[in-house]
Amino acid sequence: QVQLVESGGGLVQAGGSLRLSCAASGRTFSNDAMGWFRQAPGKEREFVATISRTGSITYYVDSVKGRFTISRDNAKNTVYLQMSTLKPEDTGVYYCGRSTRPLSPYSAYKSPGWYDDWGQGTQVTVSS
């Protein structure tokens, strides 16, 4: 059974920073592309960032480019989302997803359906 466990969420003031972590178990982590999505109340789950198996390729939603950085440490079976210059509109539950599919630039990674497994989510609240 594959398990993904997110941590690192919390309450932060606008302009502050948080680092989210997602620890994976149950299969070879290095074989999987990983992604972060977020969901605000009343809205659909939104793509935030994704990273290829080796970490050499990353993609971001336009609204977080230059502020968020996705990274991974395959030796620790962990993917990270470093969030800086946070804005109130970044508020939501952040979910870690795992995909067995190869990452390509053709936008499939923007869809929740591309991912096979999800963590339970971690709440990020940015106050103004």
Side-chain angles (χ1 to χ4, degrees):
Q1 183 176 353
V2 175
Q3 288 189 315
L4 302 171
V5 181
E6 301 98 332
S7 62
L11 176 64
V12 64
Q13 292 185 346
S17 299
L18 285 172
R19 188 180 72 162
L20 307 184
S21 299
C22 175
S25 63
R27 58 170 290 148
T28 304
F29 176 78
S30 62
N31 287 344
D32 304 324
M34 303 293 292
W36 287 97
F37 282 66
R38 64 190 180 189
Q39 189 165 22
K43 294 187 178 295
E44 295 182 348
R45 189 169 297 192
E46 176 193 28
F47 167 76
V48 177
T50 190
I51 188 167
S52 62
R53 290 162 172 77
T54 65
S56 61
I57 303 171
T58 59
Y59 299 110
Y60 300 88
V61 66
D62 287 346
S63 61
V64 309
K65 288 180 179 178
R67 300 189 298 119
F68 290 12
T69 301
I70 188 171
S71 62
R72 66 192 298 161
D73 186 339
N74 287 348
K76 297 181 179 179
N77 294 329
T78 302
V79 64
Y80 305 95
L81 186 68
Q82 177 66 50
M83 306 185 296
S84 300
T85 319
L86 283 161
K87 304 175 181 180
E89 52 262 45
D90 295 319
T91 293
V93 178
Y94 282 69
Y95 297 93
C96 174
R98 178 192 67 87
S99 180
T100 60
R101 302 165 179 81
L103 184 61
S104 73
Y106 303 121
S107 300
Y109 58 85
K110 297 179 180 179
S111 173
W114 191 69
Y115 300 83
D116 300 291
D117 301 288
W118 297 93
Q120 82 289 347
T122 185
Q123 177 70 45
V124 172
T125 303
V126 184
S127 65
S128 60

